[in-house]
């Protein structure tokens, strides 16, 4: 199947921000577009708003005046569903309620032809359930655009249980013809992005709830060490705490209250208090005019150690050894090449986050995972109450000598970046194992849908197949609530090689 012909009319039902955005995408691609909204007058107002955005595209030289005029001529608001007869594709972007969407599509089936493609832009409801009440469910798909639709490239093309392959293929090729980057996925709670992204928020909130770090520090570490564009607290303030929590709750319920998707009580209290983020002026942060943004915790300057002893190659943090040498600090090699740690002159150890607690050891400081230790501008350290002050100071001074700001957080297993990345990898591997999407599509979805610096499988190839499972195993040992138990899919993934030579 190929993309819809540009002469084919496309309809958008629901004229809020998302509906207008989808309509603009189809319109600029060259289709005739019809707008419908159940509220009288809204379709015409939406058409005017889209026209104004087309004017701005001309001002930015992204459209010519002739292209704008032609697009305006193709845009038609209609006052009744019957005005959508003859459309080849209808995309719904109405309120996130199953009964409302089901009723709408049943009504649409009385209007459009049986070969008209019907699509929902739902982000949290089951595509299968929405389409289950239809007379011709095979032509029903999910087309999940990301807001703002004209700017963000990703579209999740979701096949429900009854969706025909031809319908999904036509929807996929149409999205690509519109200049989008489509990814194909099966109908699973949260699809790709909202399923795999849950730990990005959940682990940040868990660190906060454990009183290990404040929101500003967690966000700074995620950005400056993890390479994420925004931290979890600032991102949920932008999204809206109510919206983010609603998606989390929906995914949690859809997975039969799986503990791995458990919502945050701290976020619940924020929503209950009406602090929903930027739109209300206050969320995790105060966004009111004149409010001062809290600074992340940053350690005071400390003297670097004269030398370190490297026991092993430091695994994913191996490039630190070159940085230490470049900073003029002697790196001594241990006689035995086992372990992945640095021994400081104090006798204490500096260890990459591995899922264990510093409290389990006599004199250990943990340091967090970084996307790129050379480019990272901040590193998080954690230690126990009994860790010697000398070891903490030497660890702090070492990273400061490498040009890094240091944030010292509480003793939590997996710290911040490491636990977040490990859990994202686990959910991604499980999704692929369950046939939700391919590895390539998962990586594409996470990079384009939520601006991750790497896709989960890209992270895994960089860190090693066994890294995430090993860290989560240790976290599960420390906190056996089930949240950190690595999935069976991750275990199989870690064991997989090109050729298995071992035999039982």
């Amino acid at each position: 199947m190929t993309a819809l012909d540009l002469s084919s009319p496309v309809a958008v039902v629901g004229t809020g921000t998302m509906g207008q955005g989808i309509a603009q995408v189809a319109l600029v691609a060259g289709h005739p577009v019809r707008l419908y909204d159940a509220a009288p007058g809204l379709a015409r107002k939406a058409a005017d708003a889209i026209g104004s955005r087309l004017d701005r595209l001309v001002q930015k030289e992204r459209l010519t005046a002739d292209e704008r005029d032609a697009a305006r001529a193709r845009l038609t608001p209609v006052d009744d569903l019957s005005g959508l007869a003859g459309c080849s594709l209808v995309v719904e972007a109405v309120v996130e309620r199953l009964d409302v969407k089901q009723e709408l599509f049943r009504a649409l089936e009385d209007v459009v032809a049986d070969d008209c493609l019907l699509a929902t832009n739902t982000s949290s409801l089951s595509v299968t359930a929405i389409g289950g009440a239809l007379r011709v469910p095979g032509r029903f798909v999910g087309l999940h655009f990301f807001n703002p639709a004209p700017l963000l490239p990703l579209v999740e093309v979701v096949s429900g249980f009854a969706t025909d392959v031809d319908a999904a293929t036509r929807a996929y090729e149409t999205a690509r013809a519109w200049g989008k980057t489509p990814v194909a996925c099966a109908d699973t709670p949260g699809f790709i992005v909202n399923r795999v992204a849950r730990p990005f928020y959940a682990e940040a909130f868990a660190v906060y709830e454990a009183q290990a770090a404040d929101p500003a520090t967690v966000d700074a570490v995620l950005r400056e060490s993890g390479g994420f564009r925004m931290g979890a607290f600032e991102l949920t303030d932008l999204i809206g705490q109510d919206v983010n929590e609603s998606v989390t709750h929906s995914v949690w319920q859809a997975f039969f209250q799986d503990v791995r998707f458990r919502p945050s009580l701290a976020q619940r209290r924020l929503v209950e208090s009406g602090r929903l983020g930027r739109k209300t002026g206050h969320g995790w942060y105060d966004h009111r005019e004149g409010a001062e943004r809290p600074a992340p915790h940053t350690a005071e300057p400390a003297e670097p150690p004269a030398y370190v002893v490297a026991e092993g190659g430091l695994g994913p943090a191996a490039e630190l050894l070159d940085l230490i040498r470049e900073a003029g600090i002697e790196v001594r090699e241990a006689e035995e090449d086992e372990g992945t740690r640095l021994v400081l002159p104090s006798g204490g150890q500096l260890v990459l986050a591995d899922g264990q607690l510093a409290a389990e050891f006599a004199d250990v400081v943990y340091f967090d995972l970084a996307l790129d230790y050379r480019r990272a501008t901040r590193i998080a350290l954690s230690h126990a109450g009994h860790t010697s002050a000398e070891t903490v100071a030497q660890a702090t001074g070492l990273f400061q000598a490498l040009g890094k700001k240091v944030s010292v957080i509480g003793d939590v297993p997996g710290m911040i970046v490491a636990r977040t990345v490990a859990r994202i990898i686990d959910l991604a591997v499980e999704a692929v194992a369950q046939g939700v999407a391919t590895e390539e599509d998962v990586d594409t979805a996470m990079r384009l849908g939520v601006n991750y610096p790497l896709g989960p499988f890209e992270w895994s190839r960089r860190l090693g197949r066994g890294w995430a499972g090993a860290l989560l195993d240790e976290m599960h040992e420390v906190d056996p609530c089930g949240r950190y138990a690595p999935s069976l899919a991750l275990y199989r993934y870690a064991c997989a090689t090109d050729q298995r030579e071992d035999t039982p």
Side-chain angles (χ1 to χ4, degrees):
M1 296 295 289
T2 58
L4 295 177
D5 188 271
L6 290 180
S7 64
S8 302
V10 171
V12 176
V13 179
T15 59
T17 301
M18 185 58 77
Q20 290 182 32
I22 296 170
Q24 181 180 327
V25 170
L27 193 64
V28 171
H31 288 273
V33 174
R34 302 177 194 174
L35 289 175
Y36 171 76
D37 198 291
L42 285 190
R44 296 186 184 279
K45 288 182 180 179
D48 290 340
I50 293 171
S52 297
R53 283 199 288 274
L54 295 177
D55 289 339
R56 289 196 289 274
L57 291 178
V58 172
Q59 293 168 3
K60 295 177 181 178
E61 298 184 346
R62 295 177 184 171
L63 281 182
T64 67
D66 287 345
E67 288 170 336
R68 174 200 59 197
D69 294 343
R72 278 180 166 170
R74 295 194 300 270
L75 182 60
T76 307
V78 299
D79 297 324
D80 190 87
L81 277 182
S82 61
L84 306 185
C87 287
S88 297
L89 167 64
V90 181
V91 184
E92 162 273 316
V94 302
V95 64
E96 286 285 89
R97 279 182 47 189
L98 179 61
D99 58 336
V100 172
K101 293 179 187 289
Q102 287 178 327
E103 183 179 353
L104 169 64
F105 282 109
R106 280 195 294 264
L108 281 168
E109 278 200 309
D110 293 334
V111 172
V112 300
D114 284 355
D115 62 352
C116 174
L117 195 61
L118 298 180
T120 174
N121 184 59
T122 185
S123 61
S124 60
L125 299 176
S126 165
V127 171
T128 300
I130 298 171
L134 296 182
R135 178 172 47 81
V136 188
R139 43 91 171 264
F140 187 74
V141 299
L143 275 179
H144 181 215
F145 289 78
F146 288 75
N147 193 29
L151 296 180
L152 294 186
L154 185 70
V155 177
E156 292 177 315
V157 181
V158 186
S159 293
F161 187 79
T163 302
D164 291 336
V165 172
D166 285 350
T169 302
R170 174 161 286 192
Y172 184 98
E173 294 300 333
T174 297
R176 184 156 63 179
W178 289 358
K180 297 300 180 183
T181 302
V183 292
C185 65
D187 185 20
T188 184
F191 311 141
I192 300 174
V193 172
N194 280 328
R195 171 176 175 163
V196 177
R198 291 348 296 162
F200 181 73
Y201 313 108
E203 295 313 309
F205 298 160
V207 170
Y208 167 78
E209 289 173 333
Q211 309 248 323
D214 60 277
T217 300
V218 174
D219 281 352
V221 171
L222 286 169
R223 288 194 315 270
E224 300 174 41
S225 184
F228 294 94
R229 185 165 298 184
M230 298 181 74
F233 295 92
E234 57 191 344
L235 180 55
T236 52
D237 265 3
L238 176 64
I239 295 169
Q241 298 302 329
D242 53 338
V243 174
N244 181 260
E245 192 210 27
S246 176
V247 173
T248 298
H249 195 271
S250 174
V251 172
W252 176 61
Q253 290 283 22
F255 277 112
F256 307 103
Q257 299 186 358
D258 186 331
V259 68
R260 294 176 302 162
F261 299 97
R262 184 178 60 208
S264 161
L265 181 59
Q267 188 179 40
R268 174 92 291 263
R269 292 293 179 258
L270 206 64
V271 172
E272 289 173 339
S273 71
R275 294 188 171 189
L276 306 182
R278 292 189 183 184
K279 61 187 176 184
T280 61
H282 209 303
W284 296 111
Y285 299 105
D286 188 343
H287 299 279
R288 293 170 294 187
E289 187 176 353
E292 186 175 343
R293 181 71 174 262
H297 170 75
T298 302
E300 294 295 325
E303 287 294 321
Y307 67 90
V308 295
V309 179
E311 293 187 354
L314 292 190
E319 63 184 325
L320 277 177
L321 296 177
D322 288 337
L323 296 180
I324 293 169
R325 292 187 182 100
E326 291 167 16
I329 298 171
E330 181 186 359
V331 177
R332 301 175 183 175
E333 302 289 342
E335 292 183 5
E336 295 185 7
D337 193 27
E338 295 184 0
T340 53
R341 63 184 66 87
L342 296 175
V343 179
L344 299 166
S346 66
Q349 297 179 356
L350 185 58
V351 183
L352 175 63
D354 60 7
Q356 299 182 85
L357 290 170
E360 300 177 60
F361 305 98
D363 196 16
V364 163
V365 171
Y366 275 108
F367 66 96
D368 207 352
L369 181 69
L371 172 68
D372 183 332
Y373 283 100
R374 185 172 293 276
R375 296 184 179 181
T377 58
R378 183 180 299 272
I379 296 293
L381 303 180
S382 66
H383 63 86
H386 62 254
T387 305
S388 74
E390 185 181 10
T391 294
V392 175
Q394 289 178 1
T396 300
L398 175 64
F399 280 104
Q400 289 173 340
L402 307 185
K404 318 299 182 187
K405 295 177 182 177
V406 173
S407 291
V408 180
I409 69 170
D411 187 19
V412 286
M415 302 191 68
I416 296 172
V417 179
R419 71 194 289 165
T420 299
V421 171
R423 288 210 58 222
I424 287 171
I425 290 172
D426 187 21
L427 293 188
V429 168
E430 184 181 58
V432 170
Q434 292 175 352
V436 173
T438 64
E439 290 185 12
E440 181 181 2
D441 276 355
V442 169
D443 278 354
T444 298
M446 302 315 292
R447 286 197 317 271
L448 299 184
V450 277
N451 289 312
Y452 283 6
L454 295 175
F457 291 94
E458 292 173 312
W459 270 110
S460 183
R461 285 190 290 273
R462 176 179 290 198
L463 298 168
R465 275 180 175 262
W467 177 85
L471 185 137
L472 291 174
D473 261 334
E474 295 290 355
M475 290 190 68
H476 179 60
E477 185 75 21
V478 172
D479 183 6
C481 64
R483 179 185 180 115
Y484 301 108
S487 66
L488 178 59
L490 185 63
Y491 179 76
R492 287 174 171 153
Y493 174 81
C495 291
T497 60
D498 291 339
Q499 183 176 2
R500 296 297 295 177
E501 297 180 355
D502 298 335
T503 56

